[in-house]
């Protein structure tokens, strides 16, 4: 499938802006000299590593402004039929509640890590999964009840949030609730799982 010419130009990183500036400087100094891209990239990389945070600041600011431009343009971009539009998550949207298993994990993860120090994130998750599977239905009930209460609260919050999006309009994205909102909800659940892993790294 060919590239859509109407699609906004992708955002550039601070390093990409730095390389672009180096290229322009090189062209001005040596207009008739062809550039060996591999060698040029290597020199740019070495120079970037030795630069101070202050020197990198202007390139980081350029990248920040370009990111804002890209997100603004993408909100107004309508992709060709059959291509899914990339969605930008609203930070004000309610977070999906954890499942009974995740509540169980939050309680037992510190104990597992204390009893078996040195386990990787994956091994800790595997052990928690085994523990959950061995837990009888009666012992799972408190976690399931807590998850049900959190889900009930979330459903009320998301209903109010969606209503606010349609009625309130300007403060939040002025879109009607549709399947795409459900996609956001699924993304939030993935983020919750990522957050769990990040928490483990922090501990």
């Amino acid at each position: 499938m060919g590239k859509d010419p109407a699609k906004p130009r992708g955002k550039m990183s601070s390093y990409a802006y730095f390389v672009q500036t180096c290229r322009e400087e090189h062209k001005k100094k040596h207009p008739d000299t062809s550039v060996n891209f591999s060698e040029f990239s290597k020199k740019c990389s070495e120079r970037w590593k030795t630069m101070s945070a202050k020197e990198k600041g202007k390139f980081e600011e350029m990248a920040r402004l370009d990111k804002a431009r890209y997100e603004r343009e993408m909100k107004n971009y309508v992709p060709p039929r059959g291509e899914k539009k990339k969605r930008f998550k609203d930070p004000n949207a309610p977070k999906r509640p954890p499942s009974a298993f995740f509540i169980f994990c939050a309680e037992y993860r510190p104990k597992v890590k204390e009893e078996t120090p040195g386990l990787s994130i994956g091994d800790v998750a595997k052990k928690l999964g085994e523990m959950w599977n061995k837990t009888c239905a009666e012992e799972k009930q408190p976690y399931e009840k807590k998850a049900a209460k959190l889900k009930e609260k979330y459903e009320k919050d998301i209903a109010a949030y969606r209503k606010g999006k349609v009625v309130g309009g300007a403060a939040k994205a002025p879109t009607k609730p549709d399947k795409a909102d459900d996609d956001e909800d699924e993304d939030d659940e993935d983020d919750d799982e990522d957050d769990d892993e990040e928490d483990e790294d922090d501990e």
Side-chain angles (χ1 to χ4, degrees):
M1 210 173 155
K3 191 178 176 184
D4 178 13
K7 188 172 183 178
R9 174 177 55 82
K11 58 185 181 288
M12 281 172 63
S13 66
S14 52
Y15 179 67
Y17 271 112
F18 167 70
V19 172
Q20 187 184 66
T21 305
C22 288
R23 235 192 204 142
E24 287 165 4
E25 284 175 2
H26 188 276
K27 273 184 185 177
K28 281 179 187 175
K29 287 179 185 176
H30 313 282
D32 303 321
T33 311
S34 59
V35 178
N36 179 324
F37 188 73
S38 175
E39 199 177 308
F40 182 75
S41 296
K42 192 180 175 184
K43 283 181 180 176
C44 285
S45 176
E46 286 167 0
R47 190 174 157 194
W48 179 257
K49 284 174 188 173
T50 59
M51 284 169 70
S52 66
K54 190 178 179 181
E55 288 173 313
K56 288 179 181 178
K58 73 169 183 176
F59 301 108
E60 282 162 1
E61 176 63 11
M62 288 162 82
R64 188 185 67 76
L65 291 171
D66 194 47
K67 185 185 177 188
R69 183 270 315 160
Y70 174 73
E71 291 183 354
R72 187 174 61 249
E73 289 178 3
M74 281 300 287
K75 280 178 184 174
N76 299 320
Y77 169 66
V78 179
R81 193 183 176 98
E83 189 181 320
K84 192 176 178 183
K85 182 177 177 179
K86 185 176 178 180
R87 292 189 63 84
F88 294 97
K89 222 186 293 181
D90 183 352
N92 298 313
K95 291 276 280 179
R96 269 183 89 89
S99 63
F101 172 62
F102 272 90
I103 296 168
F104 172 85
C105 287
E107 184 177 322
Y108 282 92
R109 186 180 290 110
K111 294 177 187 176
V112 170
K113 290 178 85 171
E114 192 180 323
E115 288 168 9
T116 48
L119 277 185
S120 69
I121 291 170
D123 288 337
V124 170
K126 190 178 175 184
K127 190 164 180 65
L128 288 165
E130 288 168 0
M131 288 169 65
W132 177 254
N133 290 334
K134 287 176 186 174
T135 304
C136 67
E138 193 179 334
E139 289 176 343
K140 284 181 180 178
Q141 270 188 8
Y143 304 104
E144 283 164 355
K145 280 180 183 175
K146 191 172 181 181
K149 278 185 182 178
L150 290 170
K151 188 181 179 186
E152 192 180 327
K153 181 183 181 301
Y154 167 77
E155 283 170 355
K156 284 178 185 173
D157 290 345
I158 198 73
Y161 166 74
R162 286 174 177 168
K163 189 178 177 184
K165 278 172 81 178
V166 177
V167 179
K172 293 169 188 164
T175 53
K176 292 182 180 180
D178 55 13
K179 186 182 179 300
D181 283 326
D182 295 332
D183 292 342
E184 281 185 1
D185 297 344
E186 285 165 16
D187 288 344
D188 284 342
E189 188 166 27
D190 292 339
D191 286 348
D192 289 341
E193 292 181 25
D194 292 342
D195 291 344
D196 279 334
E197 291 192 358
E198 284 170 13
D199 291 344
E200 286 172 8
D201 288 338
D202 294 340
E203 284 168 9

